[in-house]
Amino acid sequence: MSAWSALAAAALAGAAPAGAAPDTRRLAPGVQYSEFDISAAHGVTRAHLVTVDLRDPHVRVDLLYPRVVSARATVSQLADAQRAVAGINGDFFDITETQHPWVPATGSAVGPAVANGHTLKAAVPPGQRFGPELPPGASTEDVLGVGRDRTARLDRLRLDGSVTTPGERLPLRGLNQYALPQGSIGAYTSDWGSVSRLRAICGTDAERGGPCSTDSYEVTVRGGRVTATADHPGSGPIAAGTTVLVGREAGARQLRKLFKGEEVRVRHRLVAALSGVPYRFAVGGFPVLRHGTPLPGLDATTSAVRTAVGIEDGGRRLLLLALDGSAAYRSGLTVSEVARILRRLGATDGFNLDGGGSTTLVTRPAGTGAVSVRNHPSGGAERPVPDGIGVFSDS
């Protein structure tokens, strides 16, 4: 711990007020928590940091989520349910549907998600995302992930899928996501949950608040055959082994060709576009730091409470960073400042997650049964979120 304190203090030279040294505590072998103050352009903010040494065989990180995509829970609830020793909130998400007040908000995340090696969902079209404007070149497919090689990295996960019938093979362009591209077909499985699938046909590729499509169709596939059809997306839980196909515009017209009893094979997977490495864990957001250099075009004006992750030591160490939302520290950081702080902490790559009222960092002190919230959520209480990053130890 003393070595880490010295390292952090040195890394933050010029970032923290004079005399501010990190208060560091060990949570488990290979996992430490610290807090410290940062002087930024809009005032002093307090940072809460969990460092994770992935070289320790007893330590792993994985997705915190409420067992289905279209549901939310607080980070504390998620961490306690999965027995994590620490955790932070994750991706931006479908938080409200003010543009479509008759459509239930799904609460589901924007980007791809992988939990314990299992693919949960793919990314929505860029124009359908929630959150601040993406930096130039960033995508809703961007993820922070840890591969089967136990190495953390930034990557992109793209959906590769198809719907095959005796007569044709159709592209699949959605998986358990709250918005489908125009003219496409998407697949929904038991991982989706019970929330209505109507949101999938609302908005356009360029405008989240665009109208809902008037041309949609739904097909249920079980045991490799069509078992039901419907003129509109439905709701309710999807049984294990069942896939519901939702089509809009051209996709709807293609699905209308299918009939009950027809053979249909649905295939889908997420492909790592940059590394080619299979992921055991992945969460969406957007990159802010690559190879030690902040991305060009990062917002240097808007200061807010933020959540971010840094990667150092060739992907063998993670830095989970959450800012404090109390009144004394709510000035926060700009996205550009987040990138610089991660670099000063030793990160070579950095990833921005959902912030504001979602920003939460929890830890489980040794010998306690429940986690404690270490920062002060800016809304005065924890906000339910769709996912997060959990730190686990079997030591």
Side-chain angles (χ1 to χ4, degrees):
M1 287 195 300
S2 60
W4 163 246
S5 296
L7 174 63
L12 287 166
D23 176 14
T24 304
R25 293 158 242 178
R26 190 176 86 155
L27 302 175
V31 185
Q32 297 186 67
Y33 163 73
S34 60
E35 57 181 303
F36 47 87
D37 291 347
I38 300 170
S39 290
H42 293 84
V44 175
T45 189
R46 175 155 292 175
H48 301 261
L49 181 73
V50 170
T51 64
V52 185
D53 188 352
L54 295 175
R55 295 169 299 186
D56 190 315
H58 299 288
V59 174
R60 64 182 177 89
V61 297
D62 207 342
L63 194 73
L64 297 175
Y65 76 108
R67 297 309 172 193
V68 293
V69 168
S70 61
R72 293 194 290 156
T74 66
V75 176
S76 291
Q77 292 169 332
L78 297 173
D80 281 336
Q82 296 176 230
R83 300 299 299 170
V85 298
I88 59 171
N89 64 291
D91 199 358
F92 302 89
F93 60 96
D94 176 22
I95 189 171
T96 181
E97 284 299 327
T98 54
Q99 304 95 335
H100 316 105
W102 62 94
V103 178
T106 66
S108 61
V110 167
V114 177
N116 194 28
H118 174 65
T119 295
L120 292 175
K121 67 179 300 292
V124 302
Q128 291 268 18
R129 70 181 295 274
F130 285 76
E133 185 176 354
L134 291 175
S139 163
T140 54
E141 296 175 337
D142 285 314
V143 297
L144 166 87
V146 176
R148 293 179 184 173
D149 57 359
R150 291 182 58 82
T151 300
R153 52 177 64 84
L154 304 186
D155 211 329
R156 284 187 177 174
L157 292 181
R158 295 174 177 167
L159 178 64
D160 174 29
S162 61
V163 179
T164 304
T165 71
E168 59 185 335
R169 184 177 180 180
L170 307 172
L172 187 72
R173 297 184 61 198
L175 175 64
N176 292 328
Q177 56 201 60
Y178 66 79
L180 294 175
Q182 290 175 271
S184 73
I185 297 171
Y188 294 81
T189 69
S190 58
D191 289 322
W192 170 253
S194 60
V195 172
S196 170
R197 298 174 288 277
L198 180 59
R199 178 59 184 83
I201 64 167
C202 297
T204 68
D205 294 351
E207 184 183 359
R208 190 180 73 217
C212 297
S213 175
T214 58
D215 185 8
S216 63
Y217 202 68
E218 186 171 273
V219 171
T220 301
V221 178
R222 184 171 178 83
R225 293 185 181 275
V226 175
T227 60
T229 62
D231 290 330
H232 305 286
S235 61
I238 300 171
T242 296
T243 299
V244 175
L245 300 174
V246 175
R248 57 178 298 178
E249 297 93 32
R253 294 190 286 273
Q254 291 171 321
L255 290 183
R256 286 193 186 96
K257 300 176 185 178
L258 305 181
F259 56 86
K260 289 184 182 180
E262 185 170 12
E263 292 183 8
V264 175
R265 184 169 68 90
V266 182
R267 179 189 64 83
H268 49 74
R269 63 173 183 153
L270 290 179
V271 178
L274 303 180
S275 69
V277 173
Y279 283 91
R280 293 195 58 81
F281 150 75
V283 67
F286 61 85
V288 296
L289 182 69
R290 286 190 186 276
H291 310 301
T293 302
L295 268 64
L298 295 179
D299 180 11
T301 303
T302 306
S303 188
V305 178
R306 310 277 182 187
T307 306
V309 182
I311 300 174
E312 65 172 332
D313 194 21
R316 298 300 185 181
R317 188 185 293 269
L318 282 176
L319 309 174
L320 310 184
L321 178 72
L323 301 184
D324 206 286
S326 64
Y329 297 105
R330 203 170 294 167
S331 56
L333 298 173
T334 66
V335 175
S336 178
E337 287 173 328
V338 167
R340 294 201 301 271
I341 292 300
L342 290 175
R343 183 174 61 183
R344 289 176 186 172
L345 287 168
T348 55
D349 298 279
F351 201 66
N352 191 80
L353 300 170
D354 192 12
S358 296
T359 293
T360 310
L361 185 147
V362 303
T363 67
R364 185 188 308 278
T368 60
V371 297
S372 298
V373 180
R374 292 301 181 183
N375 70 322
H376 295 84
S378 61
E382 286 187 79
R383 171 188 286 169
V385 294
D387 59 27
I389 302 175
V391 183
F392 302 87
S393 173
D394 60 12
S395 176

